Amino acid sequence: MSKLFTLIKANITDSLKINKFFKKRNSESKAPIVLIGLAGIGVFALFFLYMFLYGKILSDNGAPKGILLLAICLASLLIAMTSLTSANSYLFEPKDFDLLMSLPIDTKTIFLSKVIDFLLINYLTLLYFYLPAQIAYAIFNPTGVYYWVLSILTFFILPLIPMTVFGLISYLFSFIHIGIRVRKAIKTMFYLAFSLGIIMCSFAIDSEESEAVFFLGMLDKFKNIYYPGYIGYLGITNDIYHYLIFLGISVIPFSLFVLLVSRGYLKANKVASSNYKKTNKKEVVYKKKSKVKTLFSKEIKGYFQNPAYVGNTLIGPIISIAAVIALLTKASADFVDLGNGEIIEMGLFIPFMMILVICWVVSLTPTTSASISLEGKSMWILKNLPIDFNDVKRSKLLVNYLVTIPFVLIDFIIIVIFRKLELIEMISLILVPSIMAVVCAKLGLLFNLSKHRFDYDNPAKAVKQGIAVLFSLLASTGILILMLALILSIFIATSNKLLSYLVAIGFSIIIYIIATLLLNKRGRKLYNRIEC
């Protein structure tokens, strides 16, 4: 048991970089970690705001307990998506597998430590969503000891079913004798299919109904999408029989999964390792290409072979399609009094909202914010090759353009088909999101050059836990908030749509120029300073 605790402690220390934080002597070196903490508080507050608003809508329409079902099902889907992209790299094929196997520790103990480490990561993710929902539930519903005991217990139980399902899939998949590139490509396609399935389920709800009926319909759909969550919801709301069923279908399969896989853990990793070696032994025929094409080919292959990378960066552009369709179907024609005697139709704001939504969603997590970190131990090779920084920069930016720009075009086509637009609206809808996608790609690369991370044992950590990823998210959000404030101010003050759109285009061009100058001026210096 002491060996298990030692492994768990080592995993937690490595994941959260606790030792490095306390070894930092000056406040400047601790600043990124402090900023991460402040960003965490901001994310928590944002989730609470959403849960509070949803809770109020449901409470006003006679379904105050619905917020609990919403929280359980959405939290389970969140953990499912995390497990789908990260289960294989956390539980199987770990980078430290050879080191762990050389230690005098039983294989079952090693696997159990990996499972607990993965559970703790999921709990940390779940905390930001589940706790705000519980607070919102307590505001609109009376609670007692019974509720809070089961609610806290549910927090620890929720990740078990998704982890069991996707952990077992990863385990069985590791025995398939196919090339590692094909395996990763299949996992990536599976992730995208899963994400698209969730989006399609959301469209099954009648969007022509009122907002209240829409949310009630969404809750009804969640019963079918994730029925175990509905059983848990019934159990927490004073039905102990259903809760015991929820407890059983969560804990028993998870326990059997751990017992089964711990016995075949060594064999599964050996098969995966042999697949990797066979793949690397294949003869490769090289064709002469330009430096940028060669680097771009390497980048695009590495991108699609990393399911966590694809999942973290491609889900935003995919959701942009769902957001556009939702705006088109929920577009309101209500009238709002601006307070100066002038009344405007809310439908006039729909094109503005579409521009901002597309900009925000496609620029949330640019591929460039982790592209330097993912070079890992091979970064020294890239730096010692006769390749100029501009070629490296272009290849990494091109990957992000390939991921985001096509979705901007798809969004634009959907909007043009289903909504009549003026010429300036059409120009803005295609131009502003495209420029912002380029801006956020350049800022993401600049942040990653400054705050890269090479000390990970799992690529998912570089993609999901990098400081550059957080900075990119904050920067894109801040830029769009500033753009929104500017557009609304101009429109309310002048009621001139043409001027408002021109301001949006001008603002995006100015931000593009600033981002380009920053990357060109600072990028090369930061690249040369990288220590390998």
Side-chain angles (χ1 to χ4, degrees):
M1 189 63 71
S2 60
K3 293 180 179 179
L4 176 61
F5 285 131
T6 302
L7 287 174
I8 294 171
K9 180 182 177 182
N11 288 332
I12 295 174
T13 302
D14 178 65
S15 298
L16 302 180
K17 306 300 173 189
I18 297 174
N19 288 341
K20 286 191 175 183
F21 177 76
F22 286 106
K23 286 181 180 179
K24 306 282 188 184
R25 295 187 176 181
N26 56 68
S27 58
E28 183 179 354
S29 58
K30 293 183 179 181
I33 302 178
V34 174
L35 287 174
I36 290 176
L38 293 175
I41 296 173
V43 171
F44 182 89
L46 183 62
F47 275 130
F48 172 73
L49 176 62
Y50 277 113
M51 289 298 103
F52 179 81
L53 293 175
Y54 295 157
K56 189 174 189 309
I57 292 172
L58 294 170
S59 179
D60 291 344
N61 290 274
K65 293 184 178 180
I67 189 66
L68 179 61
L69 177 61
L70 179 68
I72 291 175
C73 292
L74 289 181
S76 299
L77 291 176
L78 175 65
I79 296 300
M81 297 181 73
T82 303
S83 300
L84 176 58
T85 57
S86 305
N88 188 73
S89 54
Y90 268 96
L91 304 179
F92 312 102
E93 305 176 29
K95 298 295 183 182
D96 57 350
F97 176 73
D98 292 333
L99 173 62
L100 292 173
M101 288 297 105
S102 66
L103 299 175
I105 303 176
D106 184 62
T107 305
K108 294 180 182 179
T109 303
I110 293 174
F111 175 68
L112 187 58
S113 71
K114 292 294 182 183
V115 171
I116 294 175
D117 180 39
F118 193 35
L119 264 175
L120 293 175
I121 294 296
N122 279 327
Y123 287 143
L124 186 61
T125 304
L126 184 60
L127 183 67
Y128 282 96
F129 187 89
Y130 189 74
L131 183 57
Q134 293 303 315
I135 297 173
Y137 180 89
I139 292 175
F140 297 103
N141 297 274
T143 59
V145 176
Y146 174 89
Y147 171 81
W148 287 110
V149 169
L150 293 187
S151 177
I152 294 172
L153 182 60
T154 301
F155 172 81
F156 294 101
I157 294 174
L158 273 180
L160 300 186
I161 294 179
M163 279 188 61
T164 301
V165 173
F166 294 108
L168 186 60
I169 291 174
S170 297
Y171 173 68
L172 297 175
F173 202 72
S174 63
F175 286 99
I176 301 176
H177 290 273
I178 55 177
I180 190 170
R181 293 180 179 178
V182 178
R183 292 170 61 203
K184 289 184 177 180
I186 292 174
K187 291 174 187 175
T188 300
M189 289 188 290
F190 187 59
Y191 176 86
L192 295 178
F194 181 77
S195 303
L196 286 172
I198 295 174
I199 294 172
M200 294 304 295
C201 287
S202 68
F203 289 133
I205 305 168
D206 187 3
S207 59
E208 297 297 328
E209 300 288 351
S210 65
E211 190 176 45
V213 175
F214 174 79
F215 278 105
L216 294 175
M218 183 172 62
L219 292 177
D220 186 61
K221 291 294 179 182
F222 275 137
K223 298 178 186 178
N224 302 323
I225 294 173
Y226 191 66
Y227 193 71
Y230 178 62
I231 296 176
Y233 160 75
L234 294 177
I236 298 177
T237 53
N238 293 324
D239 190 341
I240 192 64
Y241 173 73
H242 281 90
Y243 196 82
L244 291 175
I245 295 176
F246 174 67
L247 192 64
I249 62 177
S250 300
V251 175
I252 294 175
F254 179 76
S255 302
L256 293 174
F257 162 72
V258 174
L259 183 63
L260 170 68
V261 177
S262 62
R263 294 180 177 180
Y265 181 63
L266 181 60
K267 184 178 179 180
N269 278 281
K270 284 184 177 179
V271 172
S273 178
S274 65
N275 285 335
Y276 179 77
K277 290 176 181 177
K278 288 178 182 177
T279 301
N280 285 346
K281 285 182 179 179
K282 290 182 179 179
E283 184 178 353
V284 181
V285 179
Y286 292 98
K287 295 180 181 179
K288 188 174 181 181
K289 299 179 181 178
S290 68
K291 293 179 181 179
V292 174
K293 286 183 178 179
T294 302
L295 289 172
F296 175 72
S297 178
K298 178 185 80 72
E299 290 289 331
I300 204 68
K301 288 178 181 177
Y303 176 76
F304 285 105
Q305 289 173 11
N306 190 335
Y309 196 18
V310 174
N312 204 56
T313 56
L314 198 57
I315 189 64
I318 292 175
I319 290 177
S320 71
I321 298 176
V324 165
I325 296 175
L327 279 172
L328 286 171
T329 55
K330 299 288 290 182
S332 175
D334 294 337
F335 294 90
V336 176
D337 188 351
L338 296 179
N340 56 358
E342 187 175 359
I343 298 176
I344 62 171
E345 183 183 344
M346 279 301 294
L348 296 174
F349 284 109
I350 297 300
F352 288 119
M353 294 171 64
M354 288 178 177
I355 292 173
L356 293 169
V357 167
I358 296 172
C359 286
W360 186 63
V361 178
V362 301
S363 62
L364 274 177
T365 50
T367 60
T368 52
S369 63
S371 59
I372 296 295
S373 297
L374 287 173
E375 294 290 343
K377 296 179 180 179
S378 63
M379 186 66 195
W380 69 272
I381 300 176
L382 184 63
K383 290 197 66 178
N384 284 280
L385 289 173
I387 300 175
D388 187 67
F389 165 71
N390 286 330
D391 295 330
V392 176
K393 176 185 71 175
R394 292 190 189 101
S395 67
K396 294 187 180 296
L397 290 174
L398 282 172
V399 175
N400 191 82
Y401 302 159
L402 181 66
V403 172
T404 56
I405 300 300
F407 284 94
V408 173
L409 296 176
I410 293 171
D411 294 336
F412 173 75
I413 292 171
I414 293 173
I415 295 170
V416 170
I417 291 174
F418 292 100
R419 186 179 178 89
K420 186 177 180 180
L421 298 173
E422 298 178 7
L423 179 60
I424 186 62
E425 292 175 335
M426 295 175 64
I427 294 173
S428 301
L429 272 168
I430 191 65
L431 191 60
V432 176
S434 299
I435 293 175
M436 290 307 301
V438 173
V439 167
C440 292
K442 293 190 173 187
L443 290 178
L445 182 58
L446 183 65
F447 291 138
N448 202 208
L449 285 167
S450 177
K451 300 296 179 183
H452 46 272
R453 179 180 182 181
F454 297 143
D455 58 348
Y456 55 86
D457 58 356
N458 183 345
K461 293 182 179 179
V463 175
K464 296 178 179 293
Q465 301 177 18
I467 296 176
V469 177
L470 173 64
F471 283 0
S472 298
L473 172 63
L474 295 176
S476 60
T477 304
I479 290 172
L480 292 174
I481 289 175
L482 184 59
M483 182 188 290
L484 174 62
L486 190 61
I487 292 174
L488 288 179
S489 299
I490 296 295
F491 188 77
I492 292 174
T494 64
S495 298
N496 190 324
K497 284 201 304 182
L498 176 61
L499 179 60
S500 301
Y501 284 116
L502 291 176
V503 167
I505 295 172
F507 177 83
S508 60
I509 292 174
I510 292 172
I511 296 297
Y512 167 80
I513 294 171
I514 294 173
T516 302
L517 291 176
L518 285 173
L519 182 59
N520 291 342
K521 184 177 181 180
R522 293 283 300 164
R524 186 181 296 274
K525 293 180 181 179
L526 293 171
Y527 180 75
N528 293 332
R529 289 178 187 173
I530 294 177
E531 296 180 1
C532 305

